[in-house]
Amino acid sequence: RSQVSTMTVQGSMDFTFHPASPIVPKDVNAKYADAFIDLLELVSGGERTNPTSTKNENKGNMIMNFAQSNPLDNIPEWSLGTVAAALGLVGIAIHWDAWVQFIDNFKIIRQAVPDDADFWSVLNFWILFAVSHPILQPILWISD
């Protein structure tokens, strides 16, 4: 596991990879970083200007140069949002039965808790659990 930080500077993209040390050794992190950048190069059409093992004059670990023509520049701005919305609707359609069950459960909870204050307390607790569970799961995995 590695955390990636990125920043664009004058048409280039700098990356820094932060492994969960000492769990992830430096050589494994370097391989992950190379694979990550190779994937970005493939998707974006950009080109790496220096390898992970060297530093550039800007003191960054990784630079991808996007100053040249990028194939993604030819995509109209509105189209990515439209594709994302369409895929979101497809995801809802695929899982329609689960959404219906979720809404039915929500109605049952609402009927069981007639007081608005109590209902919103229960709902807020459920939202806290639903949001914090994916965040806490990796922490619990590491602690094992």
Side-chain angles (χ1 to χ4, degrees):
R1 297 196 186 257
S2 183
Q3 180 182 12
V4 180
S5 300
T6 184
M7 178 173 44
T8 56
V9 178
Q10 297 178 350
S12 68
M13 189 173 239
D14 295 329
F15 291 88
T16 306
F17 293 84
H18 311 279
S21 220
I23 298 171
V24 178
K26 288 183 180 182
D27 61 327
V28 173
N29 187 53
K31 288 178 187 175
Y32 170 77
D34 285 336
F36 188 88
I37 296 302
D38 289 343
L39 178 64
L40 288 178
E41 288 174 352
L42 178 68
V43 171
S44 70
E47 186 175 303
R48 187 184 326 189
T49 58
N50 72 319
T52 54
S53 58
T54 62
K55 298 273 186 181
N56 66 4
E57 61 277 356
N58 295 331
K59 306 292 189 241
N61 289 336
M62 299 243 177
I63 302 293
M64 289 180 68
N65 188 356
F66 292 102
Q68 294 99 9
S69 176
N70 185 342
L72 296 178
D73 292 339
N74 299 330
I75 299 174
E77 289 183 21
W78 56 267
S79 65
L80 293 179
T82 304
V83 169
L87 290 175
L89 291 174
V90 167
I92 290 172
I94 289 171
H95 301 289
W96 184 252
D97 292 339
W99 281 106
V100 169
Q101 184 181 4
F102 172 76
I103 292 169
D104 287 343
N105 288 339
F106 189 78
K107 289 177 185 176
I108 291 169
I109 293 170
R110 183 65 179 132
Q111 291 169 355
V113 184
D115 182 41
D116 282 344
D118 289 341
F119 171 73
W120 288 110
S121 296
V122 169
L123 182 63
N124 287 334
F125 179 76
W126 180 84
I127 291 170
L128 174 69
F129 178 77
V131 170
S132 63
H133 183 74
I135 294 170
L136 292 175
Q137 192 171 13
I139 295 169
L140 296 173
W141 176 79
I142 289 172
S143 69
D144 283 345

